[in-house]
Amino acid sequence: MKRPKEGWHYCNESVPMCYSTGDWDGKKSDNFVGETIEGKQFIGCCYEGVMDGSKFFDWYQVDELNSNDGTINETVLRWLPIPF
């Protein structure tokens, strides 16, 4: 059974699209709400690309108040786009 297009996207079916370029390695996604398999919810973004011949896709928690980004070291279960 397919899930509806709106709402949560499960990572085993799709991941956020990384398209933005800038002063970082690879491409970056828009911010989203994420949830780990442990139930921790966070505002995050993803980066993907190729570095030294190896592909990467990394999840980051975005801390807008302190301008810090932290790598998510837990398995991300699902993500939800933030509407504009």
Side-chain angles (χ1 to χ4, degrees):
M1 180 174 170
K2 288 199 171 221
R3 291 188 175 87
K5 293 282 184 191
E6 296 179 17
W8 288 101
H9 297 269
Y10 286 79
C11 297
N12 62 347
E13 297 173 0
S14 71
V15 293
M17 182 175 68
C18 299
Y19 65 91
S20 181
T21 58
D23 191 24
W24 54 78
D25 294 321
K27 296 181 179 180
K28 179 182 178 224
S29 72
D30 290 332
N31 288 352
F32 54 81
V33 177
E35 184 176 68
T36 67
I37 59 172
E38 291 82 15
K40 176 184 174 186
Q41 292 186 339
F42 61 94
I43 302 293
C45 68
C46 295
Y47 292 90
E48 74 174 328
V50 178
M51 189 179 306
D52 298 328
S54 297
K55 291 182 180 181
F56 66 89
F57 187 92
D58 297 323
W59 302 86
Y60 284 86
Q61 180 170 343
V62 178
D63 181 352
E64 297 289 342
L65 295 177
N66 298 310
S67 299
N68 293 329
D69 291 347
T71 305
I72 300 294
N73 295 318
E74 302 170 28
T75 301
V76 178
L77 174 65
R78 59 189 188 161
W79 61 281
L80 178 68
I82 298 173
F84 291 72

